[in-house]
Amino acid sequence: MGNDPDNATGLLPAAEKLRLLAAEHASEADRQRALAPAVVEALTEAGFARHFVAAEWGGAEGSFGELTRAVLTVGEGCAATAWCASLAAYSARFAAHLPAQGHRVLWGESPDTVIATGLMPAGRARAAEGGWRVTGRWSYVSGIDFAGWALVCAAVPAPGGEGPGELRFFALPRDMFAVERSWDSVGMRATGSHTVVVDDVFVPQHLSFARADMLSGRNATSELPAHNVPFQAVGGLTFIAPVVGAAAGALEAAAGLLTGRKRTVTSETKLVRASGRVDAARHFVEQNAAVLDTRSFTPELMARSERNATFSAELLQEALELLVRATGTGGLGETHALQRAWRDVTSATSHVALQYDTAARKNYSTVLLGAPDA
């Protein structure tokens, strides 16, 4: 197992087992708007939360390529499970920017600590002796239902109120925040992407780090390659990989629905066109993972990764539309997996990280056209 770079940590066979279990529970999870406890347990046991954790704490120190393939696999069975698996892994990578004492607090007892992250700055913090006092509300924190910790971003004023201040992340244990059950999207229902509410809690220095460090990829605590990656280089991979898996599952579901029916040129053509879009998106996603594992952090390749993620989202939206049109009314039945995948892909691709105007348009147009005139 250790000699196979595609399966260095054993995550891939575990992901296949999780895919099968998640698929069994997917319909009920969609109705209940929460992953089944058995699926949550299997997700953790599979090793997603520990994938980027240092071996010092029992972690896997895994690659981006292996994680991406595992997330794609799980997504074929249940998009929401794959989404939570991906975010559990990447949240631990973010948390690796904490000071060394913070690593001990998070992973000293287990490398499988599940962290849910609110990436967008939405709260405020003020300096206090030995740390900060934090208050705020963070929406769309996926996986918070079963996370032991929340990692949230808040603004800290400059000393004396002069200057712009800074943005910092703060790690909070479960008993220091409340969860407002606000997630009501038509798709990705079981991700539990609710609102985290924090009311004037104290966070010590070892449970905080500067957002600028995460963006730049500088890590003063860990020298592991995966812990020293510019945020731009990830290029939306966290969010697009589960959606590619979901679209692959939708393609299989549509083909199963059409098998045995009277075949038509129209339905066959739509199915084939959709398959090309799914395969192209998979290629772009795996290309992004390769950039990360080979540490090819040039401005051109990082901008391409952003373009790849947003373009893949567009391709997958088109693929699901083709599949729904190919299968007709049958694919939209409430009990059929295709309609759930259609809703999940539609919801997931609305994420801000998968929009052209978030970063890809500006950065990749600069690659193609040069820097804009001042």
Side-chain angles (χ1 to χ4, degrees), residues 247-294:
L251 179 64
E252 182 179 356
L257 193 61
L258 292 172
T259 300
R261 285 190 186 183
K262 181 180 179 180
R263 296 170 68 153
T264 68
V265 171
T266 299
S267 62
E268 288 179 349
T269 300
K270 287 181 171 59
L271 191 68
V272 171
R273 290 175 64 200
S275 72
R277 285 161 170 77
V278 174
D279 281 355
R282 182 186 296 270
H283 165 75
F284 286 130
V285 163
E286 291 178 345
Q287 188 179 59
N288 284 11
V291 166
L292 292 163
D293 284 330
T294 58

mmCIF file of all heavy atoms in Angstrom, residues 247-294:
data_model
loop_
_atom_site.group_PDB
_atom_site.id
_atom_site.type_symbol
_atom_site.label_atom_id
_atom_site.label_comp_id
_atom_site.label_asym_id
_atom_site.label_seq_id
_atom_site.Cartn_x
_atom_site.Cartn_y
_atom_site.Cartn_z
ATOM 1 N N ALA A 247 -21.857 14.128 -10.295
ATOM 2 C CA ALA A 247 -22.259 14.078 -11.704
ATOM 3 C C ALA A 247 -21.957 12.719 -12.312
ATOM 4 O O ALA A 247 -22.726 12.215 -13.145
ATOM 5 C CB ALA A 247 -21.534 15.181 -12.480
ATOM 6 N N ALA A 248 -20.845 12.102 -11.904
ATOM 7 C CA ALA A 248 -20.547 10.743 -12.380
ATOM 8 C C ALA A 248 -21.605 9.766 -11.899
ATOM 9 O O ALA A 248 -22.040 8.871 -12.646
ATOM 10 C CB ALA A 248 -19.158 10.322 -11.897
ATOM 11 N N GLY A 249 -22.039 9.928 -10.654
ATOM 12 C CA GLY A 249 -23.127 9.090 -10.148
ATOM 13 C C GLY A 249 -24.425 9.336 -10.889
ATOM 14 O O GLY A 249 -25.196 8.396 -11.159
ATOM 15 N N ALA A 250 -24.692 10.590 -11.246
ATOM 16 C CA ALA A 250 -25.896 10.923 -11.999
ATOM 17 C C ALA A 250 -25.865 10.291 -13.385
ATOM 18 O O ALA A 250 -26.895 9.820 -13.893
ATOM 19 C CB ALA A 250 -26.034 12.436 -12.118
ATOM 20 N N LEU A 251 -24.687 10.286 -14.011
ATOM 21 C CA LEU A 251 -24.549 9.666 -15.327
ATOM 22 C C LEU A 251 -24.877 8.182 -15.253
ATOM 23 O O LEU A 251 -25.605 7.642 -16.101
ATOM 24 C CB LEU A 251 -23.126 9.874 -15.851
ATOM 25 C CG LEU A 251 -22.792 9.266 -17.208
ATOM 26 C CD1 LEU A 251 -23.619 9.904 -18.313
ATOM 27 C CD2 LEU A 251 -21.297 9.425 -17.494
ATOM 28 N N GLU A 252 -24.379 7.518 -14.224
ATOM 29 C CA GLU A 252 -24.672 6.091 -14.044
ATOM 30 C C GLU A 252 -26.159 5.871 -13.791
ATOM 31 O O GLU A 252 -26.763 4.937 -14.333
ATOM 32 C CB GLU A 252 -23.849 5.544 -12.871
ATOM 33 C CG GLU A 252 -24.061 4.060 -12.643
ATOM 34 C CD GLU A 252 -23.228 3.523 -11.497
ATOM 35 O OE1 GLU A 252 -22.425 4.288 -10.931
ATOM 36 O OE2 GLU A 252 -23.372 2.326 -11.161
ATOM 37 N N ALA A 253 -26.763 6.739 -12.988
ATOM 38 C CA ALA A 253 -28.189 6.610 -12.698
ATOM 39 C C ALA A 253 -29.026 6.809 -13.956
ATOM 40 O O ALA A 253 -30.009 6.091 -14.198
ATOM 41 C CB ALA A 253 -28.590 7.620 -11.622
ATOM 42 N N ALA A 254 -28.656 7.784 -14.772
ATOM 43 C CA ALA A 254 -29.399 8.042 -16.009
ATOM 44 C C ALA A 254 -29.266 6.880 -16.979
ATOM 45 O O ALA A 254 -30.244 6.463 -17.612
ATOM 46 C CB ALA A 254 -28.897 9.334 -16.651
ATOM 47 N N ALA A 255 -28.048 6.364 -17.103
ATOM 48 C CA ALA A 255 -27.841 5.220 -17.998
ATOM 49 C C ALA A 255 -28.655 4.019 -17.538
ATOM 50 O O ALA A 255 -29.240 3.295 -18.351
ATOM 51 C CB ALA A 255 -26.359 4.863 -18.063
ATOM 52 N N GLY A 256 -28.728 3.807 -16.235
ATOM 53 C CA GLY A 256 -29.533 2.705 -15.713
ATOM 54 C C GLY A 256 -31.001 2.885 -16.005
ATOM 55 O O GLY A 256 -31.717 1.913 -16.300
ATOM 56 N N LEU A 257 -31.471 4.120 -15.952
ATOM 57 C CA LEU A 257 -32.881 4.398 -16.223
ATOM 58 C C LEU A 257 -33.216 4.181 -17.694
ATOM 59 O O LEU A 257 -34.309 3.723 -18.037
ATOM 60 C CB LEU A 257 -33.203 5.838 -15.818
ATOM 61 C CG LEU A 257 -34.679 6.232 -15.735
ATOM 62 C CD1 LEU A 257 -35.399 5.395 -14.697
ATOM 63 C CD2 LEU A 257 -34.801 7.711 -15.391
ATOM 64 N N LEU A 258 -32.265 4.489 -18.572
ATOM 65 C CA LEU A 258 -32.502 4.354 -20.008
ATOM 66 C C LEU A 258 -32.308 2.920 -20.506
ATOM 67 O O LEU A 258 -32.828 2.555 -21.562
ATOM 68 C CB LEU A 258 -31.566 5.293 -20.774
ATOM 69 C CG LEU A 258 -31.840 6.793 -20.609
ATOM 70 C CD1 LEU A 258 -30.739 7.617 -21.260
ATOM 71 C CD2 LEU A 258 -33.204 7.163 -21.203
ATOM 72 N N THR A 259 -31.551 2.135 -19.759
ATOM 73 C CA THR A 259 -31.307 0.752 -20.175
ATOM 74 C C THR A 259 -32.616 -0.035 -20.200
ATOM 75 O O THR A 259 -33.389 -0.015 -19.241
ATOM 76 C CB THR A 259 -30.311 0.073 -19.212
ATOM 77 O OG1 THR A 259 -29.076 0.794 -19.230
ATOM 78 C CG2 THR A 259 -30.061 -1.369 -19.624
ATOM 79 N N GLY A 260 -32.852 -0.708 -21.302
ATOM 80 C CA GLY A 260 -34.084 -1.489 -21.453
ATOM 81 C C GLY A 260 -35.217 -0.723 -22.084
ATOM 82 O O GLY A 260 -36.217 -1.315 -22.500
ATOM 83 N N ARG A 261 -35.085 0.594 -22.162
ATOM 84 C CA ARG A 261 -36.098 1.384 -22.852
ATOM 85 C C ARG A 261 -35.855 1.341 -24.360
ATOM 86 O O ARG A 261 -34.774 0.962 -24.819
ATOM 87 C CB ARG A 261 -36.028 2.853 -22.406
ATOM 88 C CG ARG A 261 -36.574 3.174 -21.049
ATOM 89 C CD ARG A 261 -36.628 4.690 -20.947
ATOM 90 N NE ARG A 261 -37.013 5.166 -19.634
ATOM 91 C CZ ARG A 261 -37.174 6.443 -19.329
ATOM 92 N NH1 ARG A 261 -36.976 7.369 -20.262
ATOM 93 N NH2 ARG A 261 -37.515 6.817 -18.125
ATOM 94 N N LYS A 262 -36.846 1.787 -25.093
ATOM 95 C CA LYS A 262 -36.643 1.962 -26.521
ATOM 96 C C LYS A 262 -35.621 3.077 -26.727
ATOM 97 O O LYS A 262 -35.760 4.179 -26.222
ATOM 98 C CB LYS A 262 -37.954 2.343 -27.206
ATOM 99 C CG LYS A 262 -37.794 2.516 -28.711
ATOM 100 C CD LYS A 262 -39.116 2.892 -29.364
ATOM 101 C CE LYS A 262 -38.928 3.094 -30.865
ATOM 102 N NZ LYS A 262 -40.200 3.470 -31.537
ATOM 103 N N ARG A 263 -34.552 2.770 -27.451
ATOM 104 C CA ARG A 263 -33.460 3.723 -27.627
ATOM 105 C C ARG A 263 -33.799 4.709 -28.744
ATOM 106 O O ARG A 263 -34.367 4.346 -29.766
ATOM 107 C CB ARG A 263 -32.163 2.983 -27.919
ATOM 108 C CG ARG A 263 -31.753 2.108 -26.742
ATOM 109 C CD ARG A 263 -30.617 1.163 -27.061
ATOM 110 N NE ARG A 263 -29.363 1.866 -27.297
ATOM 111 C CZ ARG A 263 -28.172 1.327 -27.090
ATOM 112 N NH1 ARG A 263 -28.081 0.084 -26.641
ATOM 113 N NH2 ARG A 263 -27.077 2.013 -27.346
ATOM 114 N N THR A 264 -33.410 5.954 -28.496
ATOM 115 C CA THR A 264 -33.641 6.995 -29.493
ATOM 116 C C THR A 264 -32.345 7.762 -29.717
ATOM 117 O O THR A 264 -31.476 7.833 -28.832
ATOM 118 C CB THR A 264 -34.728 7.985 -29.043
ATOM 119 O OG1 THR A 264 -34.237 8.742 -27.922
ATOM 120 C CG2 THR A 264 -36.014 7.257 -28.645
ATOM 121 N N VAL A 265 -32.229 8.342 -30.903
ATOM 122 C CA VAL A 265 -31.051 9.152 -31.206
ATOM 123 C C VAL A 265 -30.950 10.322 -30.233
ATOM 124 O O VAL A 265 -29.861 10.672 -29.751
ATOM 125 C CB VAL A 265 -31.112 9.667 -32.658
ATOM 126 C CG1 VAL A 265 -30.005 10.682 -32.916
ATOM 127 C CG2 VAL A 265 -31.013 8.504 -33.629
ATOM 128 N N THR A 266 -32.077 10.910 -29.894
ATOM 129 C CA THR A 266 -32.089 12.083 -29.024
ATOM 130 C C THR A 266 -31.546 11.762 -27.644
ATOM 131 O O THR A 266 -30.655 12.450 -27.120
ATOM 132 C CB THR A 266 -33.521 12.642 -28.904
ATOM 133 O OG1 THR A 266 -33.981 13.031 -30.200
ATOM 134 C CG2 THR A 266 -33.550 13.843 -27.969
ATOM 135 N N SER A 267 -32.061 10.697 -27.020
ATOM 136 C CA SER A 267 -31.615 10.373 -25.663
ATOM 137 C C SER A 267 -30.172 9.887 -25.648
ATOM 138 O O SER A 267 -29.394 10.231 -24.740
ATOM 139 C CB SER A 267 -32.531 9.325 -25.036
ATOM 140 O OG SER A 267 -32.495 8.111 -25.775
ATOM 141 N N GLU A 268 -29.786 9.105 -26.662
ATOM 142 C CA GLU A 268 -28.412 8.623 -26.732
ATOM 143 C C GLU A 268 -27.432 9.791 -26.888
ATOM 144 O O GLU A 268 -26.371 9.817 -26.261
ATOM 145 C CB GLU A 268 -28.240 7.648 -27.894
ATOM 146 C CG GLU A 268 -28.895 6.295 -27.660
ATOM 147 C CD GLU A 268 -28.721 5.369 -28.850
ATOM 148 O OE1 GLU A 268 -28.287 5.839 -29.927
ATOM 149 O OE2 GLU A 268 -29.016 4.174 -28.696
ATOM 150 N N THR A 269 -27.800 10.744 -27.725
ATOM 151 C CA THR A 269 -26.928 11.894 -27.957
ATOM 152 C C THR A 269 -26.752 12.711 -26.679
ATOM 153 O O THR A 269 -25.639 13.121 -26.326
ATOM 154 C CB THR A 269 -27.494 12.778 -29.079
ATOM 155 O OG1 THR A 269 -27.583 12.012 -30.280
ATOM 156 C CG2 THR A 269 -26.601 13.992 -29.324
ATOM 157 N N LYS A 270 -27.842 12.942 -25.956
ATOM 158 C CA LYS A 270 -27.759 13.703 -24.711
ATOM 159 C C LYS A 270 -26.903 12.969 -23.682
ATOM 160 O O LYS A 270 -26.100 13.591 -22.968
ATOM 161 C CB LYS A 270 -29.163 13.960 -24.156
ATOM 162 C CG LYS A 270 -29.963 14.995 -24.936
ATOM 163 C CD LYS A 270 -31.325 15.219 -24.310
ATOM 164 C CE LYS A 270 -32.049 16.396 -24.946
ATOM 165 N NZ LYS A 270 -32.266 16.235 -26.391
ATOM 166 N N LEU A 271 -27.055 11.658 -23.623
ATOM 167 C CA LEU A 271 -26.269 10.874 -22.678
ATOM 168 C C LEU A 271 -24.780 10.967 -22.998
ATOM 169 O O LEU A 271 -23.942 11.164 -22.100
ATOM 170 C CB LEU A 271 -26.735 9.418 -22.710
ATOM 171 C CG LEU A 271 -26.214 8.495 -21.605
ATOM 172 C CD1 LEU A 271 -26.803 8.893 -20.257
ATOM 173 C CD2 LEU A 271 -26.552 7.037 -21.926
ATOM 174 N N VAL A 272 -24.445 10.852 -24.266
ATOM 175 C CA VAL A 272 -23.040 10.913 -24.679
ATOM 176 C C VAL A 272 -22.473 12.310 -24.448
ATOM 177 O O VAL A 272 -21.338 12.465 -23.974
ATOM 178 C CB VAL A 272 -22.899 10.493 -26.150
ATOM 179 C CG1 VAL A 272 -21.492 10.765 -26.666
ATOM 180 C CG2 VAL A 272 -23.241 9.008 -26.310
ATOM 181 N N ARG A 273 -23.250 13.337 -24.772
ATOM 182 C CA ARG A 273 -22.777 14.707 -24.542
ATOM 183 C C ARG A 273 -22.533 14.958 -23.057
ATOM 184 O O ARG A 273 -21.546 15.587 -22.666
ATOM 185 C CB ARG A 273 -23.791 15.701 -25.085
ATOM 186 C CG ARG A 273 -23.883 15.742 -26.612
ATOM 187 C CD ARG A 273 -25.010 16.660 -27.065
ATOM 188 N NE ARG A 273 -24.765 18.045 -26.671
ATOM 189 C CZ ARG A 273 -25.721 18.971 -26.583
ATOM 190 N NH1 ARG A 273 -26.983 18.639 -26.849
ATOM 191 N NH2 ARG A 273 -25.417 20.200 -26.248
ATOM 192 N N ALA A 274 -23.420 14.450 -22.216
ATOM 193 C CA ALA A 274 -23.248 14.614 -20.771
ATOM 194 C C ALA A 274 -22.000 13.892 -20.288
ATOM 195 O O ALA A 274 -21.239 14.413 -19.461
ATOM 196 C CB ALA A 274 -24.478 14.098 -20.034
ATOM 197 N N SER A 275 -21.754 12.695 -20.815
ATOM 198 C CA SER A 275 -20.590 11.919 -20.381
ATOM 199 C C SER A 275 -19.294 12.655 -20.697
ATOM 200 O O SER A 275 -18.337 12.611 -19.919
ATOM 201 C CB SER A 275 -20.591 10.537 -21.041
ATOM 202 O OG SER A 275 -20.265 10.623 -22.425
ATOM 203 N N GLY A 276 -19.248 13.322 -21.846
ATOM 204 C CA GLY A 276 -18.055 14.079 -22.201
ATOM 205 C C GLY A 276 -17.794 15.214 -21.229
ATOM 206 O O GLY A 276 -16.643 15.486 -20.857
ATOM 207 N N ARG A 277 -18.844 15.873 -20.797
ATOM 208 C CA ARG A 277 -18.695 16.974 -19.841
ATOM 209 C C ARG A 277 -18.217 16.470 -18.476
ATOM 210 O O ARG A 277 -17.368 17.094 -17.829
ATOM 211 C CB ARG A 277 -20.022 17.730 -19.721
ATOM 212 C CG ARG A 277 -20.304 18.632 -20.925
ATOM 213 C CD ARG A 277 -21.782 19.003 -21.030
ATOM 214 N NE ARG A 277 -21.991 20.040 -22.032
ATOM 215 C CZ ARG A 277 -21.998 19.830 -23.353
ATOM 216 N NH1 ARG A 277 -21.785 18.593 -23.823
ATOM 217 N NH2 ARG A 277 -22.210 20.829 -24.196
ATOM 218 N N VAL A 278 -18.755 15.337 -18.045
ATOM 219 C CA VAL A 278 -18.336 14.777 -16.759
ATOM 220 C C VAL A 278 -16.864 14.367 -16.811
ATOM 221 O O VAL A 278 -16.092 14.659 -15.894
ATOM 222 C CB VAL A 278 -19.228 13.589 -16.365
ATOM 223 C CG1 VAL A 278 -18.696 12.909 -15.106
ATOM 224 C CG2 VAL A 278 -20.664 14.048 -16.153
ATOM 225 N N ASP A 279 -16.459 13.700 -17.894
ATOM 226 C CA ASP A 279 -15.059 13.277 -18.022
ATOM 227 C C ASP A 279 -14.117 14.470 -18.124
ATOM 228 O O ASP A 279 -13.011 14.449 -17.565
ATOM 229 C CB ASP A 279 -14.893 12.377 -19.247
ATOM 230 C CG ASP A 279 -15.364 10.957 -18.998
ATOM 231 O OD1 ASP A 279 -15.725 10.645 -17.844
ATOM 232 O OD2 ASP A 279 -15.377 10.155 -19.945
ATOM 233 N N ALA A 280 -14.543 15.517 -18.835
ATOM 234 C CA ALA A 280 -13.705 16.714 -18.947
ATOM 235 C C ALA A 280 -13.525 17.373 -17.582
ATOM 236 O O ALA A 280 -12.422 17.792 -17.217
ATOM 237 C CB ALA A 280 -14.328 17.697 -19.935
ATOM 238 N N ALA A 281 -14.616 17.462 -16.815
ATOM 239 C CA ALA A 281 -14.528 18.050 -15.481
ATOM 240 C C ALA A 281 -13.602 17.225 -14.586
ATOM 241 O O ALA A 281 -12.807 17.777 -13.816
ATOM 242 C CB ALA A 281 -15.916 18.155 -14.860
ATOM 243 N N ARG A 282 -13.686 15.908 -14.687
ATOM 244 C CA ARG A 282 -12.795 15.050 -13.904
ATOM 245 C C ARG A 282 -11.328 15.332 -14.267
ATOM 246 O O ARG A 282 -10.463 15.409 -13.397
ATOM 247 C CB ARG A 282 -13.126 13.578 -14.140
ATOM 248 C CG ARG A 282 -12.264 12.611 -13.324
ATOM 249 C CD ARG A 282 -12.536 11.168 -13.723
ATOM 250 N NE ARG A 282 -13.893 10.788 -13.421
ATOM 251 C CZ ARG A 282 -14.283 10.247 -12.261
ATOM 252 N NH1 ARG A 282 -13.386 10.047 -11.306
ATOM 253 N NH2 ARG A 282 -15.538 9.907 -12.067
ATOM 254 N N HIS A 283 -11.056 15.479 -15.551
ATOM 255 C CA HIS A 283 -9.692 15.774 -15.995
ATOM 256 C C HIS A 283 -9.200 17.079 -15.383
ATOM 257 O O HIS A 283 -8.065 17.151 -14.868
ATOM 258 C CB HIS A 283 -9.640 15.870 -17.522
ATOM 259 C CG HIS A 283 -8.388 16.521 -18.037
ATOM 260 N ND1 HIS A 283 -7.167 15.878 -18.060
ATOM 261 C CD2 HIS A 283 -8.168 17.777 -18.517
ATOM 262 C CE1 HIS A 283 -6.249 16.702 -18.539
ATOM 263 N NE2 HIS A 283 -6.824 17.850 -18.836
ATOM 264 N N PHE A 284 -10.029 18.123 -15.409
ATOM 265 C CA PHE A 284 -9.621 19.417 -14.874
ATOM 266 C C PHE A 284 -9.360 19.337 -13.368
ATOM 267 O O PHE A 284 -8.412 19.935 -12.852
ATOM 268 C CB PHE A 284 -10.680 20.479 -15.160
ATOM 269 C CG PHE A 284 -10.723 20.918 -16.598
ATOM 270 C CD1 PHE A 284 -11.926 20.950 -17.290
ATOM 271 C CD2 PHE A 284 -9.570 21.305 -17.253
ATOM 272 C CE1 PHE A 284 -11.968 21.364 -18.610
ATOM 273 C CE2 PHE A 284 -9.604 21.719 -18.576
ATOM 274 C CZ PHE A 284 -10.813 21.748 -19.262
ATOM 275 N N VAL A 285 -10.200 18.598 -12.664
ATOM 276 C CA VAL A 285 -10.046 18.458 -11.225
ATOM 277 C C VAL A 285 -8.755 17.714 -10.890
ATOM 278 O O VAL A 285 -7.998 18.105 -9.986
ATOM 279 C CB VAL A 285 -11.282 17.754 -10.631
ATOM 280 C CG1 VAL A 285 -10.999 17.226 -9.234
ATOM 281 C CG2 VAL A 285 -12.463 18.720 -10.583
ATOM 282 N N GLU A 286 -8.478 16.639 -11.606
ATOM 283 C CA GLU A 286 -7.240 15.892 -11.362
ATOM 284 C C GLU A 286 -6.014 16.718 -11.759
ATOM 285 O O GLU A 286 -4.952 16.601 -11.134
ATOM 286 C CB GLU A 286 -7.292 14.564 -12.116
ATOM 287 C CG GLU A 286 -8.338 13.612 -11.524
ATOM 288 C CD GLU A 286 -8.456 12.303 -12.281
ATOM 289 O OE1 GLU A 286 -7.949 12.226 -13.428
ATOM 290 O OE2 GLU A 286 -9.060 11.351 -11.726
ATOM 291 N N GLN A 287 -6.156 17.563 -12.767
ATOM 292 C CA GLN A 287 -5.067 18.457 -13.151
ATOM 293 C C GLN A 287 -4.768 19.438 -12.019
ATOM 294 O O GLN A 287 -3.603 19.723 -11.718
ATOM 295 C CB GLN A 287 -5.458 19.211 -14.435
ATOM 296 C CG GLN A 287 -4.350 20.032 -15.056
ATOM 297 C CD GLN A 287 -4.821 20.723 -16.327
ATOM 298 O OE1 GLN A 287 -5.761 21.513 -16.316
ATOM 299 N NE2 GLN A 287 -4.161 20.411 -17.447
ATOM 300 N N ASN A 288 -5.818 19.937 -11.376
ATOM 301 C CA ASN A 288 -5.621 20.851 -10.243
ATOM 302 C C ASN A 288 -4.889 20.163 -9.093
ATOM 303 O O ASN A 288 -4.005 20.750 -8.461
ATOM 304 C CB ASN A 288 -6.964 21.383 -9.755
ATOM 305 C CG ASN A 288 -7.530 22.456 -10.663
ATOM 306 O OD1 ASN A 288 -7.032 22.667 -11.773
ATOM 307 N ND2 ASN A 288 -8.573 23.124 -10.213
ATOM 308 N N ALA A 289 -5.262 18.915 -8.810
ATOM 309 C CA ALA A 289 -4.604 18.177 -7.731
ATOM 310 C C ALA A 289 -3.123 17.965 -8.049
ATOM 311 O O ALA A 289 -2.262 18.040 -7.155
ATOM 312 C CB ALA A 289 -5.302 16.844 -7.501
ATOM 313 N N ALA A 290 -2.816 17.718 -9.314
ATOM 314 C CA ALA A 290 -1.421 17.507 -9.710
ATOM 315 C C ALA A 290 -0.590 18.767 -9.503
ATOM 316 O O ALA A 290 0.588 18.694 -9.116
ATOM 317 C CB ALA A 290 -1.356 17.059 -11.168
ATOM 318 N N VAL A 291 -1.165 19.926 -9.758
ATOM 319 C CA VAL A 291 -0.459 21.189 -9.515
ATOM 320 C C VAL A 291 -0.076 21.301 -8.041
ATOM 321 O O VAL A 291 1.040 21.709 -7.684
ATOM 322 C CB VAL A 291 -1.331 22.387 -9.944
ATOM 323 C CG1 VAL A 291 -0.775 23.700 -9.387
ATOM 324 C CG2 VAL A 291 -1.433 22.463 -11.455
ATOM 325 N N LEU A 292 -0.986 20.899 -7.169
ATOM 326 C CA LEU A 292 -0.725 20.983 -5.736
ATOM 327 C C LEU A 292 0.351 19.992 -5.302
ATOM 328 O O LEU A 292 1.243 20.332 -4.523
ATOM 329 C CB LEU A 292 -2.021 20.733 -4.965
ATOM 330 C CG LEU A 292 -3.081 21.831 -5.116
ATOM 331 C CD1 LEU A 292 -4.439 21.318 -4.677
ATOM 332 C CD2 LEU A 292 -2.693 23.065 -4.324
ATOM 333 N N ASP A 293 0.272 18.760 -5.790
ATOM 334 C CA ASP A 293 1.230 17.744 -5.362
ATOM 335 C C ASP A 293 2.625 17.964 -5.937
ATOM 336 O O ASP A 293 3.625 17.588 -5.324
ATOM 337 C CB ASP A 293 0.719 16.346 -5.730
ATOM 338 C CG ASP A 293 -0.389 15.877 -4.793
ATOM 339 O OD1 ASP A 293 -0.387 16.281 -3.615
ATOM 340 O OD2 ASP A 293 -1.259 15.101 -5.239
ATOM 341 N N THR A 294 2.707 18.586 -7.115
ATOM 342 C CA THR A 294 4.018 18.882 -7.694
ATOM 343 C C THR A 294 4.520 20.270 -7.295
ATOM 344 O O THR A 294 5.625 20.660 -7.665
ATOM 345 C CB THR A 294 3.970 18.804 -9.230
ATOM 346 O OG1 THR A 294 2.992 19.729 -9.733
ATOM 347 C CG2 THR A 294 3.618 17.395 -9.689
#
